[in-house]
Amino acid sequence: MSKKVKIGNLGIGGKNPARIKGMLKTPTKDTKGLIKEAKTLEKEGAEAIRVAVRDQGDASVAKLLKKHIKIPLVADVHFHPKLALMSIDQGFEGIRLNPMNIRKPKDVKEIARAAKRAGISIRVGVNSGGFKRKFSSPKALGLQMVKEVEAYLKVLERENFFDIMVSLKGSDVLSTSAANELFSKKHDYPLHLGITATGPFLEGITKSSLGLGSLLYQGIGDVIRVSLTAPSFWEIRIAKYILQALNLRKFGPEIVSCPTCSRCEVDLVSIVDKFEKALKKEKIKQSAQIAIMGCVVNGPGEAYQADIGVAFGKRKAVIFKKDKILGQSSEKKIVADLIKEVRQRWK
Ligand code: SF4
């Protein structure tokens, strides 16, 4: 089990569930937009938010954001050690340092002392993009990332600083897996997982799900950040889906729906889409499974295993609760009928 660390009030590692981190993408000068994005991420389920700190003005947004959101803030600092010190002064609850660009032991020590005085944690985060050379294999890249982090940890540990999290992110699944698997065998610092620079939207979701999912499945990882070339709320949603799919966290009801095939005689895609939107509005927090299936081949079985299920026939739908038939519905009425059932059961 990994050690416990905190970002503000948020417990990370140990017996805590895997946490979800987001990062703001709005330019910090656009304060209105920045606040709006931070509030959106908090509403979506982010449990901590990282902010890129490139100058004194960026460091000062911590105070402003804290007036609008309750979740802790982490300053993402590169190149300039003074910015880390400013961010600590301004009230950030965590600092991310990049061992590839804040390297001098004297600087690292000064930041560690300031973090210790303020009672905040440091994430040592190395990314594959920090290396300006090619590696012979993903494993070789993973190994080098671990070496960079280990050298940095020694400097922090010599300062008696142990409130540390680590991230080792490649832009591909294999180097990220190799690095995190290796690191977790040797150390018990909590790991923040992510695949960095994942590419276009769907590829990014696939790489993040595969990379983070396979590590989490092995019990590796205490925080996840999904990185997508897309608006930031998607990163939080996908992170929740990953954790929910692995049964590590529950964020409300899950829809089980079939891919459809030529046996399906209804427009299941739009039924599921409408139902998903209607269900979101109900704001149900309990975990539940609702199956919506296109025909009687797998429909009754999935419906049985879910809390509520629907199996379509020719335009007609049969609604099940376990093995009991609750009633019949139609392609037109099914969304409203299912929502009625959901309300009766979970509201
Ligand atoms: S449940 Fe029926 S419609 Fe859906 S994929 Fe299976 S066989 Fe096809």
Side-chain angles (χ1 to χ4, degrees):
M1 194 183 292
S2 56
K3 282 183 192 167
K4 271 194 268 180
V5 174
K6 278 191 162 189
I7 308 177
N9 287 328
L10 183 73
I12 289 170
K15 286 190 178 156
N16 287 300
R19 303 296 193 182
I20 298 175
K21 258 197 213 165
M23 185 162 186
L24 297 179
K25 303 190 180 198
T26 311
T28 28
K29 307 292 175 257
D30 172 8
T31 47
K32 228 171 141 187
L34 199 71
I35 292 165
K36 189 172 169 220
E37 188 185 11
K39 284 165 94 171
T40 303
L41 295 195
E42 183 177 48
K43 205 167 143 213
E44 285 286 344
E47 292 167 297
I49 290 180
R50 186 156 48 117
V51 186
V53 174
R54 296 158 307 157
D55 55 31
Q56 196 168 358
D58 289 350
S60 70
V61 298
K63 286 196 175 117
L64 173 75
L65 287 172
K66 277 168 183 292
K67 288 183 192 151
H68 299 273
I69 58 166
K70 292 194 179 76
I71 54 178
L73 294 168
V74 178
D76 190 64
V77 180
H78 296 262
F79 306 109
H80 306 294
K82 288 271 174 286
L83 289 178
L85 300 172
M86 271 178 209
S87 301
I88 294 169
D89 276 351
Q90 291 295 320
F92 278 95
E93 285 116 325
I95 300 287
R96 181 269 171 119
L97 297 179
N98 186 339
M100 310 300 290
N101 59 38
I102 296 183
R103 296 185 76 88
K104 286 186 194 149
K106 176 181 139 295
D107 294 333
V108 182
K109 281 181 195 170
E110 199 181 353
I111 297 168
R113 280 179 210 149
K116 198 164 204 171
R117 279 196 299 276
I120 68 167
S121 56
I122 293 177
R123 169 159 67 95
V124 178
V126 65
N127 284 10
S128 55
F131 300 100
K132 289 188 183 67
R133 63 186 170 103
K134 243 190 152 18
F135 288 84
S136 57
S137 66
K139 205 169 169 188
L141 169 57
L143 182 63
Q144 193 54 41
M145 287 200 273
V146 172
K147 278 187 183 162
E148 291 290 338
V149 164
E150 284 179 333
Y152 218 70
L153 291 179
K154 281 198 183 116
V155 181
L156 291 169
E157 286 165 349
R158 272 200 290 272
E159 279 307 301
N160 253 337
F161 191 88
F162 299 97
D163 288 333
I164 300 168
M165 249 171 293
V166 166
S167 64
L168 305 128
K169 302 187 185 181
S171 55
D172 68 296
V173 172
L174 296 181
S175 66
T176 306
S177 300
N180 284 280
E181 282 167 13
L182 177 62
F183 186 87
S184 67
K185 276 189 197 132
K186 298 170 75 181
H187 305 274
D188 59 2
Y189 286 117
L191 278 166
H192 158 127
L193 302 181
I195 310 274
T196 181
T198 52
F201 191 53
L202 293 179
E203 285 169 61
I205 294 172
T206 309
K207 285 184 199 169
S208 293
S209 306
L210 203 54
L212 276 49
S214 61
L215 285 164
L216 289 165
Y217 188 65
Q218 297 176 66
I220 300 170
D222 303 282
V223 183
I224 64 171
R225 193 266 161 134
V226 170
S227 301
L228 297 172
T229 310
S232 54
F233 72 88
W234 282 112
E235 301 179 340
I236 309 305
R237 275 191 205 173
I238 305 300
K240 284 164 78 180
Y241 291 144
I242 292 172
L243 294 176
Q244 183 144 300
L246 288 166
N247 258 349
L248 292 172
R249 304 273 303 262
K250 289 289 172 205
F251 299 100
E254 182 189 347
I255 300 172
V256 176
S257 56
C258 80
T260 81
C261 67
S262 40
R263 281 193 194 91
C264 186
E265 296 184 73
V266 294
D267 183 0
L268 200 78
V269 176
S270 80
I271 290 169
V272 171
D273 187 50
K274 279 184 200 145
F275 179 67
E276 187 190 18
K277 284 181 183 133
L279 185 63
K280 228 179 193 105
K281 284 190 195 143
E282 298 297 313
K283 296 191 176 18
I284 311 266
K285 293 269 182 275
Q286 292 99 316
S287 85
Q289 270 197 340
I290 299 155
I292 306 180
M293 304 292 289
C295 83
V296 291
V297 172
N298 292 317
E302 288 295 349
Y304 182 86
Q305 287 164 52
D307 295 284
I308 303 175
V310 175
F312 275 95
K314 209 177 167 100
R315 308 271 149 206
K316 286 246 173 292
V318 179
I319 306 176
F320 295 85
K321 192 195 282 176
K322 299 293 172 198
D323 55 347
K324 274 198 202 113
I325 294 180
L326 290 183
Q328 288 205 351
S329 184
S330 64
E331 188 174 0
K332 266 196 175 153
K333 283 173 54 207
I334 189 63
V335 172
D337 287 346
L338 270 180
I339 290 294
K340 211 159 92 194
E341 282 299 327
V342 165
R343 282 183 189 154
Q344 270 174 16
R345 228 180 131 106
W346 291 294
K347 276 199 129 173

